Amino acid sequence: MLRYVDVPEDVGLTIAKEYAAATKPANRGKKALPKHIPVVATSNNRSTRTTLVPAGAGRYRLQVNATLRKAARADVGEIIGISLKIDLASRDLPVPPELEAALKSRPRLKKEFDSLTAAGRMQFLRWFSAKSPEVRKKRLPRALEVLTERTVFRKPKSPKK
């Protein structure tokens, strides 16, 4: 069961404005607030990296994962205290050296890899990244094949009118 906490409107608005100012200084005058805000949530000295998500009407919601729930010693319907801090640290996964070396000599595949969405890139790297170098070496041909298929079978972008 997923458990959520509705962030108080004033707190959510303050964090959203701070995040917008920290990530896009040129957009300070614009009213558009970010939809997803990466934060570090802390309860009883236990913290976890998570994301504030839209809850509608300009409000935000925080999923309370097992780490936070156990730290707060709380369950559904109980009131808990959580401190939030904007998380500006990168959430990108490192590219394993085997994959990086293979892409270096294949510019088309490197371009395709770089064009993956953040979620697609994370999923690709989670699949490819294994503790054992032998497993990564075994997965490398399939990884390159997947990127090749994407370059060959991707629909071309329609020209702008």
Side-chain angles (χ1 to χ4, degrees), residues 18 60 86 98 121 134:
E18 286 177 17
Y60 290 94
I86 295 172
E98 298 88 351
R121 183 181 173 112
E134 293 81 23

Side-chain angles (χ1 to χ4, degrees), residues 92 95 99 103 109-125 143 146-147 150-151 154:
D92 292 338
V95 179
L99 182 59
L103 293 176
L109 298 186
K110 170 84 169 114
K111 185 177 178 183
E112 186 62 35
F113 178 75
D114 291 341
S115 74
L116 291 172
T117 63
R121 183 181 173 112
M122 189 170 285
Q123 182 178 8
F124 186 87
L125 288 172
V146 167
L147 292 172
R150 285 181 54 91
T151 60
R154 183 174 4 111

